[in-house]
Amino acid sequence: MQNATQAEEQARVDAVRAKIQARQTTVNTQLTTAHQETTRVEQSYGDATRVNVTEVDDRMETNAAVQQQKMMVARAVENEAILRHEAERLDRLKDEPYFGRIDITQDGTAETLYIGTGTFIDQDDQFLVYDWRAPIASVYYNGTLGPVTYETPMGPATADLENKRQFMIEAGQITTMFDTDETVGDAILQQVLGAQTDAQMQNIVATIQQEQNDIIRDTQSDLLVVQGVAGSGKTSAVLQRVAYLLYHNRQALDADQMVLFSPNQLFANYISAVLPSLGEKNMRQATLYEFFAKRFDGLHVETLFERYERDLASLPDAAKVIRRFKERADYLDTVRAYTERADYIPNFVDITLNGEVFFAAKTIAKIYASQPERATAANKFLDTKNTLIRRLKVRIKLAVYDDWVQDALGDLSADQARTLAGGRQFASGDAEQRFLATKLVERAFAPVYDALYNDYFLDCYEDYGRFLAQVPAPVAPETWQAMCDAYQQDLEQHVLRLADAAPILYLRDTLTGTGQNHLIQYVFVDEMQDYSMAQLRYLHHAFPKAKMTLLGDAKQDVFTSDYQPSDFIHEIGAVFAGARIRSIELNRSYRSTAPITRLAKHLLPAHAHILAFNRDGALPQLLVLPRAAARLGLIRQVNQLLQAHHTVAILTKDMATATQLFATLQLDVPITLLSPQDHQMHTGCVILPVYLAKGLEFDAVIGYDVSASTYARDSDRDILYTLASRALHTLVLLALDAPSPLLTALPAGLFEQTRLTTNAST
């Protein structure tokens, strides 16, 4: 019976593909014609703009023609874009038209619906494939057999789910098919998760789980917080969420109104193919460093990676206290309170022109101090700025009669005068001279206007230094003063510590009333555990109209576990007070085999919540070998693993070790060193520090130097957990001389330990 059913389903696949291919032929022909039409209309538009405009009648006729041509160009471009979008969708569907089927009864009518990555309607207006984001498709992801409810634009609708069928189709052939009452059955997941990894993340629409579907289809929350264990699919689900939101808000939402904060450029490139594979444009992406760097022109803002490497060398207890103090959300409240004091005067600097003071800092300060006492700092600053602009205009009027202006007028050629006049007609020669003189002065005084417009008369760095000098210190006065001195020394070197970036921006924004983007509607923050509360608070301030999605895993707290409690979820409510907050936990790990997940989770003191997907595999290996044999032992392991896997990652604790390994390791195959500056993932053998591997996955992982001397602190648990959870199929931990006590303390049976001699490793 199953074979007969599969034969019937295969016949339908063949029929749908035939219709898709027929439609492709039609669309490609129409697309060629549309492109030719767009080119023709654009050429006509260019010709229309070159019509003679000497006479009034000619100008009126030309303007009408130009407007008409603009409309024709817009229509032609839109038509071509629609056809191109359809062609791309058909291309996605041709080999795998769908992955799911539901049989429902609604209002007494039985229907069979097929779910795929895009909609396909035949020439008789019959839905042969429904987009996975369509309201009815939620029945496939969330429904179990029996009565089901799903949301529609008109409100909740009900139906009876009679059957749910899942497919894997490759090149038009059904390779796997079965009926299930689950979201996605284990057989499908086993097949998908058991495949070799690639250099880029793939979309997961065929394997979305119910808890992931809740993330994807949430449209009500102002703040959606996703806490997911390693490999739980939280990043994948959020990318599908982006596609879902764009699909359901075509008229009001564009990808350019969404921002994703990625942990690094390597990860940003890794996920860059997901949205295009669903027919959507990629949203804006940035790292926190890039976001800060654009706002601190001329300064190097310390990156999270640079700080991590520095912390490994030294992080005194007093430095931990100071950092915790600066990274609290209410630290920004202290900054705001500083600017709202009655005696507060910003740190103004002179505005100079040609080496001479044009507006003195003392004058600017007096103007600010003269503003109404109850006005906000932003209003005082704006009024001060407007006063300076008015004074500049007065100076321009007075300077018109200066000798240097008259000399410059006399030196103007006829062509220069016409250019400066911009085609204006003047009632008299005197009027023309006054106009030209004013233009010359405005051009000469342009640097002053530029300084006013861009707030260059404010030194927010010195202002923040004054703030640091008066804020109640959390450590001994001499320790705090040493920190203040270090801040000034860093500024002289054009360097800014990461913990000071958000507070300085907040100080500047609070004072100037700028720095906010009201156009962005959605902000997504990946690896939220790497962000301080002050940084999240600032992002909320910078994008005041945006709904936010925060996702991460408190147990992968590689960067801050040595000085900050990793589970700060209880603080989120205070940062986003008044927002509709929803929290979702993803506790099942799908990435790694069950033995790898069991080892990874036991590295954590609290791990009962982490559930392993039932995918079998070999036990992780702990190899202990003499330090002198490390290179040869590592080469042997890499060569063995590359015979079975596409990607083998050697993960180190820091960048220095990764760089040294790359310089000394000799393999017969290409090997790639990945650094924070890299954008492109590679297959084969790669070497990188574990903190760069966050969010990534590899067929096989070698944890290099998991030794007693390298992973000795309790705070190293998060790093080892992150390292182990990067592996899909194989995990090898390589210890030199003696393994980390964090490993030897684990329960028996989680890994196989082998102690190699020098000879055995060669």
Side-chain angles (χ1 to χ4, degrees), residues 109 177 391 600 608 731:
T109 302
M177 184 192 88
R391 292 189 179 186
L731 175 63

Side-chain angles (χ1 to χ4, degrees), residues 677-692:
Q677 288 73 44
D678 282 299
H679 290 209
Q680 185 68 45
M681 265 294 294
H682 296 264
T683 55
C685 182
V686 294
I687 303 177
L688 64 161
V690 64
Y691 56 75
L692 273 187

Side-chain angles (χ1 to χ4, degrees), residues 46-91:
D47 293 340
T49 59
R50 289 192 290 270
V51 174
N52 178 23
V53 292
T54 304
E55 301 296 332
V56 173
D57 289 345
D58 290 332
R59 288 200 298 270
M60 293 175 62
E61 183 178 341
T62 298
N63 287 335
V66 166
Q67 293 304 316
Q68 183 180 22
Q69 289 293 326
K70 278 185 177 180
M71 293 177 63
M72 293 177 65
V73 169
R75 282 197 297 268
V77 169
E78 182 182 8
N79 182 50
E80 184 178 347
I82 291 171
L83 288 168
R84 181 169 285 109
H85 187 75
E86 182 178 2
E88 291 169 352
R89 183 175 73 252
L90 293 170
D91 191 57

Side-chain angles (χ1 to χ4, degrees), residues 441-458:
V441 176
E442 287 176 348
R443 180 183 292 177
F445 287 5
V448 177
Y449 180 79
D450 188 53
L452 293 174
Y453 180 80
N454 292 292
D455 304 331
Y456 293 155
F457 57 98
L458 170 69

Side-chain angles (χ1 to χ4, degrees), residues 1-14 98 101 114 165 174 177:
M1 183 65 181
Q2 180 68 17
N3 289 336
T5 303
Q6 182 158 336
E8 293 169 0
E9 290 287 9
Q10 183 62 57
R12 186 185 190 277
V13 170
D14 295 341
Y98 43 82
R101 162 183 163 171
Y114 287 82
R165 180 167 292 172
I174 298 176
M177 184 192 88

